Amino acid sequence: MNVPELVALPDESVRPLVHPLDVPEARRPFFLSWLIAVLAGPATVASLVVVFWFVAEDRYIGPPVGIFVALAGWAAATWFEREAWAYIPRKRQDRARQLPLSWDLTRWLVVAASAGAALTLLGRRLLEPSVPQSVSAYVVGACAGIVVVIVAEFLWRLAMAIAGRGRLRAALLHLPGLAVVAAVTVYLYRELVNLPVDREWHTSDLVIGGAVLVVIQVMHWVHKARNAR
C-alpha cells in the first residue's frame, strides 16, 4: 500500500535523494534546528558560563545555567531536525548533503567569536587573587579540551575528504576557530604558570577540566551519529 505524501517532493527520477532544503515546508524547522545547534553549541554555552562567572555575584550560577541551556538547546534542535526530516520518506533522505557555504561560515565564525570572547574574559578572571588556583587550572584544562575537540573533528573531516567521502571545505572551516582557541589557551596556560608560587595547582585539575569537555562533545557526536543512522 502506498502512503500518500504530505508535501510535494521533487520527481524521484530527477532527484532520488531529497534534503529538507529542497522542501519548502521542511526548510523552516531545519533552519531552526541548525540555528539552535549553533547558538547552544559547546563553544557558545561555555561562553555563557564564563560570562555568568565573570559578572554574577554568585559564582556557582554559571555551570547550572550552562547545563540547562545545553540540554534545552540539544532537545530543541533534535526536535526541529526530526520535524524537518519527517517530510521526507526514509529511503529518499539525503543525509550526506553538504550545507550551504554561508551556513558553515556562519557557524564557525560564531564558534570562533564565542570562544575568543569567553577565553578573553577568563584571562582577566584568572589573574584575580580571589580565584582559587584549582578553578583556574580546571578552566584552562577545559580550554585545552576545546582545542582537542576541534583538532579531532578537523582530522576526521580531513581523513574523510582524502578518502573521497567528504569535502575538504568541511575540514578547512575548522582552522579559524582552532587558531583562536589554541592561541588563547596557550596564553592562559602561561599566565597560570606565572602566578605566585604560593598558590598551588595540580596537573589533575587540567586533565579533569579537559576530560569533561571532551566527554560532553563525544556524547554529542554519538547522538548525532545515532540520529543519522
Side-chain angles (χ1 to χ4, degrees):
M1 180 179 67
N2 294 328
V3 179
E5 295 178 349
L6 297 178
V7 297
L9 298 178
D11 189 343
E12 188 170 2
S13 62
V14 177
R15 179 172 293 177
L17 297 181
V18 182
H19 191 275
L21 295 178
D22 302 327
V23 182
E25 293 82 354
R27 288 174 189 164
R28 182 175 181 274
F30 186 80
F31 172 75
L32 289 176
S33 171
W34 171 84
L35 181 62
I36 294 172
V38 170
L39 297 180
T44 49
V45 170
S47 301
L48 179 65
V49 171
V50 171
V51 168
F52 271 101
W53 187 46
F54 186 75
V55 302
E57 295 182 359
D58 185 354
R59 302 301 184 191
Y60 298 97
I61 193 175
V65 169
I67 293 173
F68 173 78
V69 171
L71 293 178
W74 192 351
T78 299
W79 187 84
F80 280 114
E81 184 179 17
R82 288 176 178 172
E83 285 290 303
W85 285 107
Y87 286 98
I88 306 170
R90 186 178 299 273
K91 66 178 182 179
R92 296 194 61 187
Q93 291 181 358
D94 187 2
R95 294 279 181 170
R97 174 80 64 86
Q98 191 170 18
L99 294 179
L101 177 60
S102 59
W103 289 36
D104 284 337
L105 284 174
T106 300
R107 177 191 174 194
W108 287 110
L109 286 175
V110 169
V111 169
S114 299
L119 296 180
T120 300
L121 289 176
L122 280 174
R124 294 182 59 185
R125 284 287 292 144
L126 287 173
L127 298 178
E128 296 182 6
S130 60
V131 179
Q133 193 108 0
S134 60
V135 174
S136 301
Y138 179 89
V139 173
V140 174
C143 296
I146 296 175
V147 174
V148 171
V149 165
I150 298 177
V151 169
E153 188 162 358
F154 167 73
L155 293 177
W156 169 255
R157 299 284 185 182
L158 184 61
M160 295 294 287
I162 294 174
R165 299 173 58 187
R167 295 189 180 183
L168 186 60
R169 186 185 83 180
L172 296 180
L173 285 170
H174 289 71
L175 295 180
L178 176 60
V180 171
V181 178
V184 182
T185 301
V186 171
Y187 164 75
L188 293 180
Y189 179 76
R190 293 178 64 180
E191 293 296 321
L192 180 65
V193 171
N194 292 329
L195 286 175
V197 294
D198 59 331
R199 300 177 64 197
E200 296 183 357
W201 58 276
H202 304 283
T203 305
S204 60
D205 297 324
L206 291 171
V207 174
I208 292 173
V212 169
L213 202 293
V214 171
V215 168
I216 291 175
Q217 184 62 47
V218 168
M219 292 173 60
H220 178 66
W221 284 335
V222 171
H223 175 73
K224 288 184 64 176
R226 291 181 62 184
N227 280 347
R229 287 198 298 267

